[in-house]
Amino acid sequence: MKEFPAHPLRTRFAKDILCEFLPPLKTSNKVLILCSGMPGYPGGKGEAMQTLARRGYWVFVPRYRGSWESGGTFLQRSPHEDILAVVQGLSKPFIDFYSEEKMRVTRPQITVIGASFGGPAAILASRDTRVKQAIALSPVIDWRGQRGTAESLEMMEAFLPKAFGEAYRGDPEKVWKKLASGRFYNPVHEVKTIQGKKLLIMHAKDDHVVPFAPAQEFAEAVDARFEAIVRGGHFGVSSILKPHLWRRASSFLTKY
């Protein structure tokens, strides 16, 4: 009987972007790209990756450029462009670095799931025609609305270099000014370009890290499906496996 490897496999897209991945046990063209939050280690998702792979998906967890094992400079480009680089990479064969085996997903049906910092990546990547659907959990909708939250931009500017060092490589002052401008990697600035029918947003009302109200207003503005969760706090990307969230996600994935 075919089994999963002891650890996620690894490959690289667009030269810079390191990506952990797992193939499903049976032939499938269904793909999930998971856009992790920040700060935090994007690895350690082996169990979640296995669960999703058992459900018939190829699962990919990329590191944003300039973070962790990826090359480049953090936030020199919008993180959604890193996700689209993975999408582009899936149009041709890629190599598992452990076995040197060449792999390919034939006619990939791609869904992007992002949470928190990774939420905008999922939302903005959904505009690409190669992305079939996108799901955003507790997404930042407007970086200018992060003032006064548990993870304000001012707090992160001071905290990140001390707590994560070279895990995120870029000029801290420029990084946070870029986000604070509201014109970079900011879904609310791109509201006219979003196709709501491709998008599901789930957000808990008691989220103390990313405000709930902007997500609800944004979903209404773009006519996206919105699921208001009464309690649950701040969702990470692995939260998609919580039964009440997966039930909603699964309904969306099979409907559209």
Side-chain angles (χ1 to χ4, degrees):
M1 181 182 297
K2 189 175 180 181
E3 292 292 338
F4 290 113
H7 42 67
L9 307 181
R10 287 180 164 236
T11 192
R12 197 173 286 270
F13 295 106
K15 297 183 179 179
D16 279 336
I17 302 168
L18 189 285
C19 196
E20 286 189 320
F21 74 97
L22 272 182
L25 295 178
K26 296 181 180 180
T27 302
S28 173
N29 67 342
K30 296 189 299 181
V31 174
L32 293 180
I33 301 175
L34 306 185
C35 311
S36 300
M38 187 284 294
Y41 180 52
K45 295 180 173 61
E47 185 175 348
M49 293 173 73
Q50 281 199 14
T51 299
L52 293 169
R54 288 186 191 281
R55 294 175 181 174
Y57 293 94
W58 287 80
V59 187
F60 294 84
V61 183
R63 316 298 197 242
Y64 305 115
R65 285 185 175 99
S67 73
W68 299 99
E69 302 99 314
S70 289
T73 301
F74 186 55
L75 292 191
Q76 186 173 50
R77 295 179 172 185
S78 172
H80 89 278
E81 294 184 27
D82 300 343
I83 303 308
L84 293 181
V86 176
V87 171
Q88 175 62 31
L90 292 175
S91 67
K92 53 190 176 183
F94 53 92
I95 301 292
D96 162 36
F97 293 148
Y98 287 109
S99 66
E100 295 297 322
E101 179 183 353
K102 186 178 289 187
M103 299 184 173
R104 183 163 196 168
V105 184
T106 303
R107 297 187 299 276
Q109 298 293 304
I110 298 172
T111 297
V112 181
I113 301 178
S116 191
F117 175 90
I123 291 170
L124 298 176
S126 73
R127 299 176 297 180
D128 193 286
T129 57
R130 296 167 297 181
V131 175
K132 182 182 178 184
Q133 299 157 295
I135 298 174
L137 306 170
S138 302
V140 176
I141 295 299
D142 187 354
W143 288 102
R144 296 166 299 181
Q146 283 298 109
R147 294 184 181 91
T149 66
E151 292 186 5
S152 66
L153 296 184
E154 294 79 9
M155 175 269 185
M156 293 301 295
E157 181 178 353
F159 171 76
L160 201 67
K162 293 185 291 187
F164 286 86
E166 291 301 305
Y168 298 94
R169 298 172 299 282
D171 184 325
E173 186 175 347
K174 289 182 179 179
V175 163
W176 304 113
K177 280 185 177 179
K178 217 171 181 182
L179 290 175
S181 73
R183 296 185 297 274
F184 174 78
Y185 191 52
N186 205 32
V188 76
H189 188 65
E190 306 292 341
V191 65
K192 293 181 180 180
T193 68
I194 304 298
Q195 294 180 290
K197 67 178 183 178
K198 295 173 64 174
L199 179 62
L200 165 64
I201 298 175
M202 293 189 278
H203 210 121
K205 294 181 178 180
D206 62 351
D207 190 337
H208 65 288
V209 175
V210 176
F212 169 85
Q216 186 175 39
E217 293 166 5
F218 178 82
E220 291 174 358
V222 302
D223 198 25
R225 178 169 166 179
F226 184 75
E227 295 284 352
I229 312 300
V230 176
R231 288 185 298 275
H234 189 60
F235 299 132
V237 74
S238 294
S239 299
I240 194 67
L241 292 174
K242 293 179 182 290
H244 65 299
L245 298 185
W246 180 252
R247 187 167 57 250
R248 292 168 166 86
S250 182
S251 170
F252 173 73
L253 293 173
T254 54
K255 183 176 181 179
Y256 177 69

